[in-house]
């Protein structure tokens, strides 16, 4: 599996290269800036891009914007972004086009090799990989919303796992319940939130994030 990696911190970049190579990934480019990332994505045609949100020269969201531009040029290009902190805007922008093959992990997560590699593979395969801490923090920011209050504790657990990109089977295994029970909880969640029911993993994530973003003050 061919990977383009973008990370401006040398030690972290080198560590990620070594980790991925140990799991039989081929690193076709490991770069440290936005312009280098743009060239690497255009020239290498990787199976997946692993990208730090903040890259030189702007050190704002350069990495994310380069990845989004690459996905516009090559729809469906799998992209896993890494961020130091939870930023709802980044998650929303990444998922906005509705295609699969996207992920958003906090950088702390890369120190768990198995979880990180699983996320890379899931994204490369066209799925989603949302960091549990991202989902939990986004949900907690809306915990006072009256609509969230309609959800039972179990439904909130299901929604968190669903937003991570987990299938009904995976959720059932995590919560030690039947898939039929998960399907019922999922239907209840969508009904309470006024969202269309869908079995597509990425659509499920989009639905949750769309809800989380509902009511956010819009810029004037």
């Amino acid at each position: 599996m061919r990977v383009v990696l973008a990370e401006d911190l040398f030690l972290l970049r080198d560590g990620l290269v070594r980790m991925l190579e140990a799991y039989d990934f081929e690193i076709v480019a490991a770069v440290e800036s936005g312009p280098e990332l743009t060239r690497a994505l255009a020239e290498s045609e990787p199976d997946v891009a692993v990208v730090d949100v903040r890259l030189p020269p702007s050190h704002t969201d350069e990495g994310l914007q380069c990845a989004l531009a690459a996905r516009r040029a090559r729809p469906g290009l799998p992209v896993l972004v890494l961020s130091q902190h939870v930023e709802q805007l980044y998650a929303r922008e990444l998922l906005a086009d509705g295609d699969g093959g996207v992920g958003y992990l906090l950088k702390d997560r890369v120190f768990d090799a198995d979880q990180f590699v699983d996320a890379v593979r899931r994204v490369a395969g066209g799925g989603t990989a949302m960091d549990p801490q991202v989902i939990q923090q986004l949900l907690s920011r809306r915990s006072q919303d009256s609509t969230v209050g309609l959800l039972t504790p179990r439904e909130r657990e299901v929604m968190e796992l669903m937003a991570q990109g987990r299938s009904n089977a995976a959720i059932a295994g995590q919560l030690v319940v039947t898939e039929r029970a998960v399907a019922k909880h999922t239907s209840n969640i969508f009904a309470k939130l006024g969202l269309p029911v869908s079995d597509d993993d990425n659509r499920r994530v989009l639905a949750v994030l769309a809800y989380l973003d509902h009511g956010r003050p819009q810029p004037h």
Side-chain angles (χ1 to χ4, degrees):
M1 190 176 298
R2 293 162 51 83
V3 180
V4 164
L5 173 66
E7 166 60 52
D8 65 322
L9 296 178
F10 171 76
L11 290 179
L12 181 54
R13 184 172 69 252
D14 185 62
L16 290 175
V17 168
R18 292 173 184 271
M19 181 192 301
L20 290 171
E21 287 180 338
Y23 283 83
D24 298 324
F25 290 89
E26 177 187 357
I27 309 301
V28 295
V31 302
E32 63 179 348
S33 71
E36 290 176 309
L37 174 59
T38 296
R39 287 194 298 272
L41 291 174
E43 297 171 0
S44 303
E45 297 188 356
D47 297 309
V48 60
V50 179
V51 179
D52 184 3
V53 167
R54 300 178 185 272
L55 290 175
S58 70
H59 288 287
T60 54
D61 62 349
E62 184 109 3
L64 175 65
Q65 295 306 323
C66 289
L68 292 175
R71 278 175 67 87
R72 288 191 291 270
R74 179 185 160 190
L77 170 68
V79 173
L80 173 62
V81 300
L82 306 177
S83 179
Q84 191 70 42
H85 307 289
V86 176
E87 293 286 354
Q88 183 176 347
L89 176 62
Y90 296 158
R92 188 176 65 255
E93 282 195 69
L94 184 64
L95 293 164
D97 62 10
D99 289 332
V102 293
Y104 179 1
L105 296 183
L106 295 181
K107 284 190 174 182
D108 288 348
R109 194 69 58 185
V110 305
F111 297 108
D112 186 320
D114 290 337
Q115 288 190 28
F116 177 64
V117 169
D118 176 69
V120 175
R121 287 176 174 157
R122 193 188 311 171
V123 170
T128 57
M130 297 295 291
D131 193 298
Q133 292 184 41
V134 174
I135 299 304
Q136 289 169 8
Q137 289 195 39
L138 293 178
L139 286 174
S140 67
R141 292 176 186 178
R142 293 298 307 279
S143 62
Q144 302 304 314
D145 187 283
S146 59
T147 309
V148 175
L150 296 176
L151 302 180
T152 66
R154 176 61 86 183
E155 288 167 353
R156 285 175 59 86
E157 289 180 317
V158 171
M159 186 163 73
E160 288 181 19
L161 292 169
M162 183 171 63
Q164 293 173 30
R166 305 291 185 88
S167 65
N168 280 4
I171 295 173
Q174 179 78 19
L175 299 180
V176 195
V177 298
T178 65
E179 286 189 52
R180 184 175 181 179
V182 173
K184 182 177 180 180
H185 287 312
T186 301
S187 295
N188 289 342
I189 290 168
F190 282 123
K192 289 178 180 180
L193 303 186
L195 299 169
V197 178
S198 173
D199 290 328
D200 180 83
D201 285 348
N202 197 57
R203 286 180 185 272
R204 285 149 60 106
V205 175
L206 282 170
V208 173
L209 292 179
Y211 165 71
L212 292 169
D213 192 47
H214 180 69
R216 180 178 65 89
Q218 299 297 316
H220 296 290

